[in-house]
Structures are given as structure tokens and as C-alpha cells.
Amino acid sequence: MRAFAYLSQGQAGWVEKAPPQATGFDGIIRPLLVSPCTSDVHNVEIGCLAPHRILGHEGLGEIVAVGDQVRDFQVGEIVVVPPVTPDWRTVPSQLGAHQHCAGLITGQKLSNGEDGLLAEYVRIRDLDANAARIPPGVSWEGAVMAADMLNTGLYGAQLADVQPGDTVVVMGVGPVGLMAIAGAKLRGAGRILAIGSRPAGLALAQFYGATDLVNYKEGDVTWQIHLLTHKQGADCCICAGGGPDALGQAVTMVRWGGTVGNVNYFTTQGDLPIPNVRYGFGMGNKTIRGGECPGGRARMEKLLALLQYGRVDPVPLITHRFQGLPQVETAFALMRDKPPELVKTIVSL
């Protein structure tokens, strides 16, 4: 089969591989709709994957084969798969850390430890536990955007412990940041201050619930937030973008006793600086939580319920649509180059 894969540091391209086989609890799907992710780009740039590892962890497809232990799904069904498809039978998973079921970020099997979705066929481990049917009224595009973008953005709001009426800062107006805004609104935030500069992202930030827009190109964002919050700081901050200084900025922007929820993927090998004074010399009661979005069927079904009952619509994230497996390369390049009009790409196979 043909697939789009990691080749070497900084290089991705097409490879030929044998189609996977279904055994035991696993299933094989034929991807029908996929979306290359910025995380795929990051993994290629830092060179952390095995050669010829197939990329992609956002998509849905038709089940074409199931192992003899699969109980809940049949050949021919259409299912969506979250990016985190862990081994649920490990001790870390039982302790509530399924994202790290066999070590750091090992729960995200697709495109990391195992071949991903940018291919003609893909194996989904433990199909009963890691795939979800698409409920009535939910579009395929919505389901794919829910799998990772809504999943991660909402998780940022959960990590930040957004409470009704809170003042929330969201760093980043890319697709995850936009879904963090939507997640903060779902959790009852009062004021949502979105930090970014890309026109397409800023427009959608207001669509999803941002009450204030802060452009980091117009001055120090920590000072802007300081003034906008009447020198009090925000109740919480969701860090969904930015460089190595972003986490320290997030800590600076929350009040004493505030919470930072981080879903930003920092690719630096160095330390992340935290400003000690704004951290209260360790005494500021500021909480920092960071993590990989949850996976599994139950999480996916809850996310899809948000779409089914009209709580949120992630489809407007899609700004570029393509048709055919060869166009995966074009969509990937767009996510790498990030032209001003881009938010998210999707490819129908």
C-alpha cells in the first residue's frame, strides 16, 4: 500500500509498505477522511520517529477487517479514532495515565509508536476500546475535527479548571487554541481573552466566544493582560501556542491562586523558564497542569455528543479541503508553512 511517512529529520514523503493485518482485539480501517496535524510537522522537524513511520493521527474510516476478539464492531462500519489509542491493559492506564501507558506519550500510538492514518489502510489497536461510531447529525468533517482539535482544546480548559464566570486567557488562535476558547465557553467562562495575530484565527476566536483579542505583535502580552484585567491577572490561562517562553508568560498572566492548563507541545530540548517573582517565589499558589489529550472510545463518544446536540461546531476550523490520497502531501506542506489564511486542512481519500 502507499502511505505518507517520516523519512529522515526534516523530510517526509511517500513509501510503499505491506498492508497491516487484523488479529486479536485489533481492526483494520480504510481511511476516508484525514487531517495532517502540526504535531506531525513537529515530529518530522525534530526527527523523533522511526524511518518510514506513517504519519497522521486525525481521521475516520471504514472497517475492512476485525480480529477474532473484536466484539462491538463489524466490517463496513464507519468509525472515528482519537489520536490517543493506548494499551488499556497496563498499570499506568489503570492508574489514570493512559496517555503514558508504557512511558511518556506512548498512548499516542498512531504516527508515534505505530503507523498512522495517512495511508490506504491502518491498524487500530483494541478497536472496541479505541474507536467510536459517528452519531446521527454529526458530519464526517465535524467528527475528525473533534477527535484531536476539540479534544485537545477542551482538555486545556479542563486542565485550567475553568469555572463559571472566570476570566480566562487563551494563548494561541490556531485550531487547538480556538477549541480551547470553545471549551472555556462550554465550561462557563465569563471573559475570554484570546492572544494571537493571524487574521483567520482572530476572526474565529470571536466566533467561538472570545470577548477580547490581544495581538502579541502590539506589545508585551503579559503587560497587556495585566492592564486588561485591571492589574489583577486572569483566573486561569490555557497555553495552546507559543515558544519556550509561553509557559512562563502563562504563569505571569494568572492571579495569585490561578491555574495554568498547558496543551502546547514544546519541541525545545532545553528548560522552560518560569519567572520566579511572578510565581510568587514558589509561594503564589499558582497551579500548572500540562498533558496530552485523553483517548479512547468513551472520551470520543462524549466529544461527539457535544456536536450531536449543537453545543459546539468545529467544522469552521477547516479552511482548506483536498481530494485524493496524493493531496495529503499538499495538506501537510500547508500545515508546515502556515500561510495567513490557514487554520486547518482536510483530505477526502
Side-chain angles (χ1 to χ4, degrees):
M1 69 174 184
R2 196 173 187 224
F4 192 72
Y6 170 79
L7 301 179
S8 61
Q9 185 172 4
Q11 299 294 320
W14 297 99
V15 298
E16 295 285 337
K17 300 187 82 166
Q21 303 298 312
T23 59
F25 295 98
D26 304 337
I28 307 298
I29 68 170
R30 178 173 65 88
L32 299 172
L33 197 65
V34 296
S35 182
C37 182
T38 302
S39 296
D40 294 317
V41 175
H42 288 160
N43 286 339
V44 170
E45 289 176 345
I46 64 179
C48 62
L49 301 178
H52 289 193
R53 173 73 70 225
I54 299 173
L55 300 170
H57 52 261
E58 297 181 51
L60 57 75
E62 178 188 6
I63 299 172
V64 296
V66 295
D68 59 5
Q69 298 297 311
V70 173
R71 298 170 300 180
D72 295 345
F73 294 97
Q74 292 81 41
V75 170
E77 291 191 279
I78 307 298
V79 294
V80 63
V81 182
V84 175
T85 57
D87 181 349
W88 292 99
R89 295 169 177 80
T90 69
V91 171
S93 292
Q94 294 177 30
L95 291 172
H98 66 268
Q99 301 97 319
H100 316 287
C101 59
L104 181 63
I105 317 181
T106 52
Q108 187 179 315
K109 303 293 185 181
L110 294 171
S111 76
N112 281 4
E114 299 170 359
D115 282 336
L117 293 166
L118 304 185
E120 293 180 291
Y121 299 97
V122 61
R123 179 179 73 97
I124 305 301
R125 65 163 49 246
D126 206 344
L127 191 68
D128 289 332
N130 286 320
R133 296 180 180 91
I134 302 168
V138 175
S139 70
W140 285 9
E141 289 187 343
V144 172
M145 289 299 103
D148 190 358
M149 298 300 97
L150 176 59
N151 192 355
T152 304
L154 178 58
Y155 191 49
Q158 293 174 288
L159 290 171
D161 194 26
V162 176
Q163 296 296 311
D166 273 354
T167 294
V168 182
V169 172
V170 177
M171 302 176 70
V173 292
V176 171
L178 293 169
M179 290 296 94
I181 292 168
K185 182 179 178 181
L186 281 168
R187 288 176 63 90
R191 189 182 188 189
I192 303 174
L193 303 98
I195 298 174
S197 67
R198 295 159 59 82
L202 290 172
L204 281 173
Q206 291 183 302
F207 172 80
Y208 282 117
T211 56
D212 301 76
L213 302 178
V214 178
N215 192 327
Y216 61 83
K217 293 184 178 180
E218 296 177 357
D220 178 20
V221 293
T222 63
W223 184 249
Q224 291 187 64
I225 296 299
H226 179 67
L227 296 178
L228 286 167
T229 58
H230 310 291
K231 303 181 181 181
Q232 299 302 305
D235 295 298
C236 41
C237 178
I238 305 168
C239 186
D245 293 332
L247 190 62
Q249 291 173 329
V251 169
T252 299
M253 290 186 287
V254 296
R255 61 171 172 78
W256 306 122
T259 303
V260 173
N262 179 72
V263 288
N264 194 18
Y265 182 22
F266 295 104
T267 58
T268 179
Q269 297 295 309
D271 294 334
L272 300 175
I274 301 295
N276 190 33
V277 174
R278 296 308 305 163
Y279 194 48
F281 305 97
M283 300 290 120
N285 291 90
K286 295 190 179 187
T287 301
I288 304 171
R289 296 191 183 97
E292 175 85 358
C293 71
R297 179 177 175 179
R299 172 74 172 188
M300 196 68 247
E301 289 177 347
K302 288 180 180 293
L303 293 169
L304 293 172
L306 293 174
L307 277 62
Q308 183 180 13
Y309 295 105
R311 302 303 185 188
V312 64
D313 180 11
V315 173
L317 295 176
I318 303 169
T319 54
H320 293 69
R321 292 172 171 84
F322 301 95
Q323 182 76 43
L325 183 62
Q327 293 302 310
V328 162
E329 186 169 9
T330 303
F332 178 86
L334 280 170
M335 296 305 296
R336 179 194 63 214
D337 299 338
K338 287 187 166 43
E341 70 278 7
L342 173 79
V343 177
K344 202 73 172 76
T345 66
I346 204 158
V347 185
S348 300
L349 305 183

